[in-house]
Amino acid sequence: MAPEIGYYALLLALFVSVTQSAMPFVAARRRDLAVAAFVDQAALAQFMFLVVAFASLTYAFVTSDFSVEVVMANSHTAKPLLYKISGVWGNHEGSMLLWVLILSLFGAAVAVFGRNLPYRLRINVLGVQGMVGCGFLAFITLTSNPFARLAQAPADGNGLNPILQDPGLAIHPPFLYLGYVGFSMAFSFAVAALIDGKVDACWARWVRPWVLAAWCFLTIGITLGSAWAYYTLGWGGWWFWDPVENASFMPWIAGTALLHSALVVERRNALVSWTILLAILTFSLSLVGTFLVRSGVLTSVHSFAQDPARGVFILALIVLATGGALALYAFRAPHLKYGAPFAPISRESGLTLNNVLLSAAAATVFLGTFYPLVVDMIGNDKISVGPPYYDRTFVPIMIPVLLVMVVGPMLKWKRDSIAAALGRLKYPAVASGLIAILVLVLTFGRNAFAAAFMALAVWLVTGSFAALAYRTHLGRVPLTTTLRLARTTPRAFYGLVIAHAGMGITVAGITGMTSWATEKIEMLRPGESLELSGYSLRLRSVGDVPGPNYDAERGTFEVSRNGRLVGEMVSERRFYPVRQQQTTVAGIRTNLISNLYIAVGEPDGKGAWAVRFYYHPFMPWVWIGALTMALGGFVSLSDRRLRVGVPQRIPRHAAAVPAE
């Protein structure tokens, strides 16, 4: 019964999305406030219907209802409850249902918290959001029904893909989708503004919280995905420039640029046309990522390779959404108002340079992702684009981005002097120079690359706090005055400091991992050891261990340094009988500065096992820095100036009155 309830709720959500899409334009023309109020209720109703649909599918997974085709294909009675629940979105149909649920969540949030928005802008935003929801709900009901029944229910299911049976994968997709789909709000605000023909500082202030929230969630999602790949796949890496990884990274880069350009619109009413275009392209890149994962054009450990017909449907949605928005942009952009001009050296110029460089970086990732697919499509040749391409294209573009990240906040709006801005950064410059010299000395001058990038990391961290010191006049006024200024500094500025410092921590982690990581692979018998980077790893034993739905071969190791026991580590090779598939679970020991990483491999049949032992200095900093960036975003989001668009909320009883 639950699947039928879920399916009917899905159909009702589709019907409501159609009315939500059409009614705003009827309301705008007739000035019918009752119809406008209906749009708010439609957004809430769509969300509630999708909650019912998602809950119904979750119930089918938890109760192992194998009469539902998607449950049979992705669950099993012996699977732990956590993975029965995560199995809901561990497949194409269920993940698309989660996709539209989050889309409707953002629409409902506008209906509830957007009472302060101008009348026409609010209903147009909800109308555009309804159109996007309508397209994807039609896609689900026509090609990807998660509630399809089997004529004869089997006694058991096929089980979830073993590499997805991990706590990290239970929470990684929801955060990723909150980011992916969250950028739909930027798209809806941009199209709504184009429909109305009005973009100003208030519009930028209203759109920034939604973009910032999506950016924070996407940052967390990418970080969790990187950590999952690191400890689950057993190859010791955290990023491989896989096309599906790039699918989430491209909208993150574009979203970062959008955050900064919207700030220019808010403060100076400049870059208006560019910001609108960037809002459209950011969500379009999210749609492109959806296409890559679900079209069947890629084979990846975290893609849903499905019927190409589904990919054609999504491609049609991309053409309609992006093409329609760009056509409207081409019509309206020449008539948008532009703000006052600014000098080449100013905060506006710094943010513009930031946007240019980030857009170029996103373009290099896009080219590296799609060029092999185009070559494969037009000919018989197959090529691959891997880390060497990105090292030579993406990295050189990002270096000036990181340099500008520190200089930009030191520049004044409208006009400034580069000499004055750099003068405010003398202490970060000195700190960066000292760390570069220290690295060169410790490595005997053999690693200039590491010295340069460690200096860049210190530049980012110290430069971020230097911006806070400059704002609070630290050292230039009495301490009591500095503390008073610190108390009155907006939380958004503290968020900027934290996020930029987090980027510095991540750069330090990437540099250390790239420059000084070591590894050794040997065949070991119980009692034998191998040496690496001052550590001694001894294989103590290998034995069979039963799991809830797998059989494991567990290797137990002792790690020592300078003859002193550091600790015990374990690694497993798991075999899942239902799927006839084997996975590796790495053993990791961390002190938050470096990681020891081991993975037990295949036996040689003579009493020895392949053992991979890695030493990864600064590896935890990659994820600590990324999560710090997300924390900075949430701190900014807590600033009242970002939580509301105007100083005073419009009372609910007056919310329906036009406020233009």
Side-chain angles (χ1 to χ4, degrees):
M1 186 63 181
E4 283 70 28
I5 293 174
Y7 183 66
Y8 288 130
L10 193 63
L11 292 178
L12 288 171
L14 174 59
F15 172 75
V16 170
S17 70
V18 173
T19 58
Q20 180 183 333
S21 305
M23 285 300 179
F25 304 102
V26 174
R29 180 171 297 181
R30 298 181 181 179
R31 308 295 300 166
D32 189 337
L33 298 183
V35 176
F38 171 82
V39 177
D40 287 341
Q41 301 305 316
L44 294 172
Q46 183 186 163
F47 173 64
M48 293 307 300
F49 285 134
L50 286 171
V51 167
V52 171
F54 191 80
S56 299
L57 185 61
T58 303
Y59 179 79
F61 268 87
V62 170
T63 58
S64 298
D65 185 354
F66 299 119
S67 66
V68 180
E69 185 176 0
V70 71
V71 178
M72 182 277 298
N74 297 280
S75 191
H76 192 275
T77 51
K79 196 168 65 171
L81 177 61
L82 173 63
Y83 303 135
K84 288 183 178 181
I85 296 173
S86 64
V88 177
W89 53 80
N91 58 86
H92 169 75
E93 292 82 1
S95 65
M96 284 308 305
L97 184 57
L98 177 63
W99 206 99
V100 294
L101 173 64
I102 293 174
L103 183 73
S104 68
L105 171 64
F106 279 97
V110 171
V112 173
F113 301 109
R115 305 287 181 173
N116 55 339
L117 297 176
Y119 162 79
R120 288 182 61 178
L121 179 63
R122 188 176 85 247
I123 63 172
N124 285 339
V125 166
L126 290 175
V128 175
Q129 197 77 356
M131 290 180 187
V132 177
C134 180
F136 279 92
L137 283 167
F139 170 71
I140 293 175
T141 54
L142 295 176
T143 70
S144 310
N145 179 13
F147 300 103
R149 290 277 198 175
L150 293 171
Q152 186 173 356
D156 223 326
N158 293 338
L160 182 66
N161 187 339
I163 64 171
L164 302 182
Q165 296 187 37
D166 179 85
L169 259 292
I171 57 177
H172 158 63
F175 276 103
L176 203 63
Y177 289 0
L178 282 167
Y180 260 157
V181 184
F183 285 128
S184 66
M185 293 309 306
F187 177 84
S188 296
F189 268 90
V191 174
L194 290 172
I195 292 172
D196 201 27
K198 181 181 178 182
V199 182
D200 55 16
C202 291
W203 175 89
R205 177 167 289 189
W206 287 316
V207 77
R208 278 184 65 213
W210 303 102
V211 177
L212 184 57
W215 182 87
C216 292
F217 287 125
L218 187 56
T219 302
I220 295 173
I222 293 174
T223 304
L224 292 175
S226 168
W228 166 80
Y230 178 75
Y231 69 76
T232 298
L233 301 184
W235 59 289
W238 57 278
W239 192 263
F240 193 65
W241 295 105
D242 181 281
V244 180
E245 292 174 333
N246 295 347
S248 60
F249 192 43
M250 288 185 289
W252 184 87
I253 299 172
T256 304
L258 177 59
L259 271 177
H260 292 84
S261 65
L263 179 62
V264 181
V265 178
E266 178 184 345
R267 294 296 298 268
R268 300 288 298 159
N269 203 30
L271 301 184
V272 172
S273 182
W274 166 249
T275 302
I276 291 290
L277 178 62
L278 197 56
I280 295 171
L281 294 180
T282 299
F283 182 58
S284 297
L285 288 174
S286 294
L287 295 179
V288 167
T290 303
F291 168 76
L292 279 176
V293 174
R294 300 167 195 286
S295 62
V297 300
L298 295 176
T299 300
S300 169
V301 296
H302 38 5
S303 67
F304 299 105
Q306 297 287 337
D307 183 357
R310 293 174 173 173
V312 173
F313 199 115
I314 296 177
L315 194 59
L317 290 177
I318 295 174
V319 171
L320 287 174
T322 305
L326 291 177
L328 182 60
Y329 172 80
F331 176 73
R332 288 288 198 183
H335 307 290
L336 296 177
K337 293 181 179 180
Y338 296 89
F342 48 85
I345 305 300
S346 62
R347 179 79 66 88
E348 296 94 322
S349 293
L351 292 170
T352 301
L353 179 59
N354 160 286
N355 268 232
V356 170
L357 293 172
L358 286 174
S359 299
T364 62
V365 178
F366 186 89
L367 179 63
T369 302
F370 279 92
Y371 182 68
L373 302 179
V374 173
V375 170
D376 186 31
M377 181 177 63
I378 64 177
N380 295 323
D381 296 330
K382 288 186 178 294
I383 65 171
S384 61
V385 174
Y389 163 80
Y390 297 99
D391 291 343
R392 289 168 173 78
T393 57
F394 179 80
V395 174
I397 294 173
M398 289 303 295
I399 291 174
V401 171
L402 300 177
L403 292 171
V404 171
M405 279 178 64
V406 176
V407 179
M410 288 294 191
L411 293 170
K412 296 178 181 178
W413 292 101
K414 194 174 182 180
R415 187 184 304 276
D416 202 352
S417 164
I418 190 66
L422 292 178
R424 300 163 197 147
L425 291 167
K426 56 185 177 183
Y427 294 117
V430 170
S432 301
L434 290 176
I435 199 68
I437 293 171
L438 179 61
V439 172
L440 288 173
V441 170
L442 293 177
T443 60
F444 302 101
R446 290 194 299 264
N447 205 328
F449 167 86
F453 277 88
M454 277 297 182
L456 184 58
V458 172
W459 168 258
L460 285 165
V461 175
T462 57
S464 300
F465 288 101
L468 179 61
Y470 176 72
R471 186 181 181 96
T472 57
H473 302 291
L474 181 63
R476 293 177 288 153
V477 296
L479 182 60
T480 54
T481 304
T482 293
L483 293 176
R484 178 179 56 81
L485 290 172
R487 286 195 301 270
T488 57
T489 295
R491 271 180 274 180
F493 191 84
Y494 283 105
L496 177 151
V497 171
I498 294 170
H500 285 198
M503 176 60 79
I505 296 171
T506 295
V507 170
I510 294 173
T511 303
M513 177 69 176
T514 304
S515 303
W516 300 308
T518 55
E519 64 179 270
K520 184 176 286 188
I521 304 176
E522 288 188 9
M523 301 298 296
L524 295 182
R525 291 180 171 82
E528 294 182 340
S529 303
L530 63 83
E531 309 291 328
L532 179 69
S533 297
Y535 288 93
S536 176
L537 178 73
R538 186 176 75 89
L539 176 59
R540 194 169 70 187
S541 64
V542 178
D544 294 332
V545 178
N549 61 334
Y550 59 82
D551 298 316
E553 190 175 51
R554 176 181 295 174
T556 304
F557 301 83
E558 290 180 351
V559 182
S560 58
R561 183 166 187 162
N562 299 325
R564 178 170 163 268
L565 181 65
V566 173
E568 181 182 282
M569 300 176 67
V570 297
S571 174
E572 293 181 356
R573 289 193 313 128
R574 294 177 178 177
F575 179 73
Y576 292 78
V578 174
R579 284 271 185 162
Q580 292 293 300
Q581 191 171 337
Q582 185 173 286
T583 65
T584 299
V585 177
I588 301 173
R589 185 179 181 85
T590 182
N591 57 9
L592 298 183
I593 297 177
S594 63
N595 285 350
L596 296 177
Y597 183 108
I598 58 171
V600 64
E602 297 285 342
D604 64 357
K606 301 177 182 178
W609 282 262
V611 175
R612 298 192 296 277
F613 185 33
Y614 302 86
Y615 172 63
H616 291 160
F618 296 98
M619 184 67 241
W621 290 18
V622 174
W623 304 310
I624 292 173
L627 294 177
T628 301
M629 284 190 280
L631 173 63
F634 285 121
V635 170
S636 293
L637 200 59
S638 70
D639 193 323
R640 186 179 184 277
R641 299 178 310 159
L642 285 178
R643 285 188 283 112
V644 296
V646 293
Q648 185 176 359
R649 287 176 59 98
I650 300 174
R652 286 183 176 272
H653 62 79
V657 178
E660 298 178 81

